Amino acid sequence: DQQVKQNSPSLSVQEGRISILNCDYTNSMFDYFLWYKKYPAEGPTFLISISSIKDKNEDGRFTVFLNKSAKHLSLHIVPSQPGDSAVYFCAASPYYGQNFVFGPGTRLSVLP
Amino acid sequence: DTAVSQTPKYLVTQMGNDKSIKCEQNLGHDTMYWYKQDSKKFLKIMFSYNNKELIINETVPNRFSPKSPDKAHLNLHINSLELGDSAVYFCASSQESAEAFFGQGTRLTVV
């Protein structure tokens, strides 16, 4: 039973364009959401977060949008750079800082 | 100057053996975790350990046990290893802010 879904296993985008990574969740108790980026042979690194009291959070080239009624969030990267090529994990938790449930990840390839 | 470090990076062992993976964090965080990334690439939490309180994911077999000698360390012991235990195991830590910092992972292969 996947509580956090990332239905696109992979995504290819041209350098300079926008990358949009999507995440859906089923548990209405989830209140806090994170995006992590993972390079091969490394652990996931935190990218950006959003809590359910907001619908948008922006940090430089990265923006996360949350649609709580649709149980959907997305990560926008603009402009995309080749160094953004990695696997992106969406994670959700009903408690601040506790026991996140991760999606299966989306592999982003940014083509020069 | 790694924030969360785990050793070894690779571990190949035979079925039935007992093995340990070590994790250390130098961030002063109160909570440490073990995650398992399975063959389908899902990251699933196994344990969280905070101020002596251990929260166990009920799906984790009792062959797996975390041991915390102090706040900066949370080691993972696995008894009677099985083929299905092959995976990448990640240690992580967090403080009051929600995001966790992860180690580089330990790829365990049981043959």
Side-chain angles (χ1 to χ4, degrees), chain A residues 35-55:
Chain A
W35 283 94
Y36 281 85
K37 179 166 83 170
K38 185 183 178 304
Y39 293 117
E42 294 183 14
T45 55
F46 169 73
L47 202 54
I48 194 169
S49 65
I50 190 166
S51 71
S52 60
I53 61 172
K54 299 176 76 172
D55 55 17

Side-chain angles (χ1 to χ4, degrees), chain A residues 38-43, chain B residues 5-12 20-23 34 87-90 103-109:
Chain A
K38 185 183 178 304
Y39 293 117
E42 294 183 14
Chain B
S5 60
Q6 49 184 112
T7 55
K9 189 172 180 181
Y10 299 97
L11 181 56
V12 181
S20 296
I21 306 172
K22 295 185 177 181
C23 178
W34 277 103
V88 181
Y89 292 84
F90 289 97
Q104 65 180 8
T106 296
R107 181 174 293 279
L108 171 66
T109 304

